[in-house]
């Protein structure tokens, strides 16, 4: 069976794929609460002949779909979680929530999971028709946004069987980028003080809010003494109350730290925790450090990056009607950096290896430490559209979104077929992976006792 035949097979399945993606769009769920979305994908996997295992790694919304036997073992990293506060009517060029304050698929993960399903279906079809050895595993990975679901799965060894892992992400452009992404960790710092009358007996009080304030001031001074690529974000999630005439007995800050790799992040985290302890000492308060989650830096793979772009270029980019283009132009015009005259990307840039680190994070990083990993991108949003925006939600059911999802699935299936037909290619990817690790091995940045955390947006 030729690769183009696999591409044609996936094109024949587009209505099915669109339906699954749209169903997930209709059920936007966040951070380990994606019960409906996970079940939609599990049923789609079963319908297409995969053996499904639910609740993997002890996570209710994590699952796998497996087909085949023997080597190579190729994984497809499906995501399906939404974002809080991004509810939006589909097909509207104006901001218009379906439900105020509700969730929405502002990062396109309704497309992401189904695009990976398409890739897995393509590899499965190839194995069926050729009778060749190989195993395809679709990974249902929850809580990429703020939960690091893949890191928890990696900690439990879910990806250890892989020879390579394939992923993609929706966006305004086609291609595959080199370079890495930042490691991160998220930690609550909770202070407990003593309440008192702020005027008559302030000397008897111990202000937890003062501790949070001093902690944040310490963070500001630390910024000068870390690498420029380090990022330190925080949100004060409890100020202790609304009465200024009371010394606040409780306060809490949620801190998100990012660094170019796990080693640097560990050092930054230790320094931040020292600042937190210092703030407690200065204010006479008690401190609780509550580690939420972490994810590793992405280890790039240039061998797979070149192959990914080659496969994208074997595909024909879609065309759109005047009515569709008019809508995409209106969406593009609402974005800084948009282009209403040319709202759709029409080129596939060359793959460019780079040592630069993209200033964002993804739990794909944890998989990339375990096996050679590559991520494809495809145009699912008009030019200029930002991730985590209402515009991305609005176009999530459009033909642009559906076509980009299909192309990504076809390209990933093509990469998988290349790795089966050309064993030397996989060996080169593994050799690069080992060279980048420099003899190191994956160590999950999430301590063993930490469990996945549900952070709900329900009112």
């Amino acid at each position: 069976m030729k690769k183009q035949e696999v591409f044609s097979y996936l094109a024949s399945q587009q209505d099915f794929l669109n339906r699954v993606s749209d169903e997930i769009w209709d059920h936007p769920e966040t951070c380990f609460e994606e019960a409906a979305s996970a079940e939609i994908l599990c049923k789609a996997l079963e319908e297409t002949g995969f053996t499904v295992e639910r609740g993997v790694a002890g996570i209710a919304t994590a699952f796998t779909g497996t087909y085949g036997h023997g080597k190579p073992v190729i994984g497809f990293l499906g995501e399906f979680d939404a974002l809080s506060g991004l509810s939006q009517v589909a097909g509207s060029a104006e901001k218009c929530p379906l439900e105020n304050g509700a969730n929405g698929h502002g990062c396109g993960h309704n497309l992401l999971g189904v695009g990976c399903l398409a890739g897995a279906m393509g590899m499965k079809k190839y194995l069926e028709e050729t009778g060749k050895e190989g195993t395809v595993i679709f990974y249902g990975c929850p809580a990429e946004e703020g939960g690091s679901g893949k890191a928890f799965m990696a900690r439990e060894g879910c990806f250890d069987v892989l020879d390579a892992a394939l992923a993609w992400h929706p966006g305004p452009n086609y291609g595959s980028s080199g370079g890495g992404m930042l490691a991160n960790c998220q930690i609550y710092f909770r202070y407990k003080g003593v309440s008192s009358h702020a005027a008559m007996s302030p000397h008897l009080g111990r202000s937890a809010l003062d501790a949070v304030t001093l902690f944040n001031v310490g963070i500001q001074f630390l910024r000068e003494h870390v690498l420029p690529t380090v990022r330190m974000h925080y949100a004060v999630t409890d100020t202790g109350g609304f009465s200024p005439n009371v010394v606040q007995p409780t306060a809490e800050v949620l801190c998100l730290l990012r660094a170019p790799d796990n080693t640097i992040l560990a050092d930054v985290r230790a320094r931040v925790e020292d600042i937190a302890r210092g703030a407690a000492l200065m204010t006479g308060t008690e401190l609780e450090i509550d580690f939420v989650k972490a994810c590793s830096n992405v280890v790039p793979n240039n061998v797979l990056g070149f192959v990914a772009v080659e496969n994208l270029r074997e595909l024909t980019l879609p065309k759109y009607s005047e009515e569709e283009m008019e809508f995409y132009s209106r969406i593009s015009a609402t974005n800084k950096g948009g282009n209403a005259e040319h709202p759709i990307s029409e080129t596939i840039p060359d793959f460019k290896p780079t040592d630069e680190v993209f200033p964002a994070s993804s739990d794909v990083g944890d998989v990339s430490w375990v096996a050679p990993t590559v991520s494809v991108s495809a145009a699912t949003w008009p030019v200029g559209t930002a991730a985590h925006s209402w515009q991305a939600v609005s176009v999530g059911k459009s033909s642009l979104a559906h076509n980009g999802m299909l192309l990504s699935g076809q390209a990933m299936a093509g990469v998988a077929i290349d790795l089966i037909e050309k064993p030397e290619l996989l060996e080169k990817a593994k050799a690069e992976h080992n060279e980048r690790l420099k003899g190191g091995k994956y160590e999950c940045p999430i301590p063993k006792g930490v469990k996945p955390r549900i952070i709900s947006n329900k009112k």
Side-chain angles (χ1 to χ4, degrees):
M1 187 180 198
K2 295 181 179 179
K3 194 188 297 184
Q4 287 296 331
E5 293 177 287
V6 172
F7 295 161
S8 296
Y9 159 71
L10 290 176
S12 74
Q13 299 299 305
Q14 184 162 24
D15 288 346
F16 166 74
L17 297 167
N18 293 351
R19 175 179 60 78
V20 176
S21 175
D22 288 354
E23 284 185 24
I24 296 172
W25 190 100
D26 290 335
H27 296 83
E29 301 161 305
T30 61
C31 206
F32 298 115
E33 289 193 308
E34 316 94 330
S37 303
E39 189 58 24
I40 289 167
L41 278 167
C42 284
K43 289 181 178 178
L45 285 162
E46 290 171 336
E47 186 175 340
T48 50
F50 288 84
T51 300
V52 174
E53 180 184 355
R54 293 168 171 83
V56 303
I59 302 171
T61 54
F63 55 93
T64 58
T66 305
Y67 176 85
H69 65 278
K71 294 276 192 176
V73 182
I74 309 296
F76 294 81
L77 308 178
E79 300 169 15
F80 42 89
D81 58 327
L83 290 155
S84 62
L86 280 178
S87 176
Q88 168 66 27
V89 172
S92 172
E94 297 179 357
K95 187 177 182 180
C96 182
L98 271 171
E99 179 185 349
N100 287 328
N103 304 328
H105 274 286
C107 210
H109 291 186
N110 61 303
L111 304 166
L112 197 163
V114 180
C116 285
L117 170 62
M121 288 169 58
M123 179 176 170
K124 175 177 177 291
K125 184 70 171 178
Y126 174 82
L127 294 175
E128 287 175 329
E129 296 296 326
T130 63
K132 292 189 176 182
E133 278 200 4
T135 304
V136 52
I137 305 177
F138 176 95
Y139 288 91
C141 307
E144 190 277 334
E145 302 286 359
S148 292
K150 296 183 196 66
F152 284 101
M153 294 170 73
R155 188 182 68 181
E156 304 306 315
C158 291
F159 307 108
D160 290 353
V161 298
L162 293 181
D163 291 298
L166 309 180
W168 82 287
H169 205 288
N173 301 304
Y174 298 99
S176 180
S177 58
M181 297 178 75
L182 299 171
N184 78 29
C185 66
Q186 191 160 290
I187 309 169
Y188 279 106
F189 296 95
R190 298 191 181 95
Y191 292 91
K192 183 179 180 181
V194 179
S195 63
S196 183
H197 194 292
M200 292 192 298
S201 54
H203 58 289
L204 299 178
R206 298 292 182 268
S207 174
L209 183 58
D210 284 354
V212 164
T213 301
L214 287 167
F215 170 82
N216 290 335
V217 170
I219 291 289
Q220 309 316 325
F221 281 106
L222 180 61
R223 293 184 195 280
E224 182 184 357
H225 304 290
V226 295
L227 291 171
T229 46
V230 168
R231 300 287 185 269
M232 295 179 284
H233 325 293
Y234 62 88
V236 178
T237 48
D238 176 15
T239 59
F242 301 96
S243 300
N245 61 339
V246 176
V247 175
Q248 290 87 348
T250 63
E252 174 185 273
V253 58
L254 178 60
C255 204
L256 176 62
L257 309 174
R258 305 182 199 254
D261 63 45
N262 290 346
T263 302
I264 296 171
L265 180 63
D267 177 69
V268 172
R269 173 189 164 193
R271 295 168 73 183
V272 168
E273 290 180 351
D274 281 345
I275 290 171
R277 296 185 187 98
L281 285 171
M282 286 187 285
T283 54
T285 56
E286 298 176 9
L287 169 65
E288 176 194 0
I289 299 176
D290 181 8
F291 190 99
V292 178
K293 67 95 181 182
C295 67
S296 300
N297 55 293
V298 169
V299 179
N301 195 282
N302 292 337
V303 171
L304 295 182
F306 280 110
V307 176
V309 170
E310 287 173 3
N311 276 277
L312 278 172
R313 286 179 169 168
E314 292 185 38
L315 300 163
T316 302
L317 299 188
K319 302 293 183 181
Y320 298 98
S321 67
E322 289 186 12
E323 182 180 3
E324 288 172 325
M325 291 296 286
E326 192 274 334
F327 169 60
Y328 301 140
S329 292
R330 290 173 64 198
I331 289 286
S332 190
T334 66
N335 296 291
K336 290 183 178 179
N339 189 332
E341 292 185 6
H342 301 284
I344 305 300
S345 177
E346 296 177 337
T347 60
I348 301 173
D350 293 338
F351 177 78
K352 295 181 179 179
T354 176
D355 292 328
E356 293 182 7
V357 178
F358 185 66
S361 306
S362 171
D363 57 9
V364 170
D366 290 86
V367 185
S368 75
W369 273 81
V370 178
T373 302
V374 70
S375 185
V376 177
S377 58
T380 59
W381 308 332
V383 171
T385 300
H388 298 201
S389 67
W390 67 263
Q391 292 94 333
V393 186
S394 181
V395 299
K397 287 184 167 184
S398 67
S399 57
L400 174 62
H402 291 155
N403 289 338
M405 175 181 71
L406 175 64
L407 257 70
S408 70
Q410 291 171 317
M412 286 186 289
V415 173
I417 292 169
D418 285 342
L419 294 177
I420 295 170
E421 291 186 342
K422 305 172 185 176
E424 70 279 5
L425 195 60
L426 182 56
E427 290 308 311
K428 287 181 181 178
K430 288 183 174 182
E432 180 185 348
H433 184 253
N434 291 333
E435 183 178 347
R436 288 184 180 277
L437 294 186
K438 298 177 180 178
K441 293 184 178 180
Y442 175 68
E443 293 184 13
C444 184
I446 302 175
K448 191 67 176 177
V450 176
K451 296 182 179 181
R453 184 79 54 91
I454 292 176
I455 302 175
S456 180
N457 189 45
K458 293 179 180 178
K459 297 181 180 178

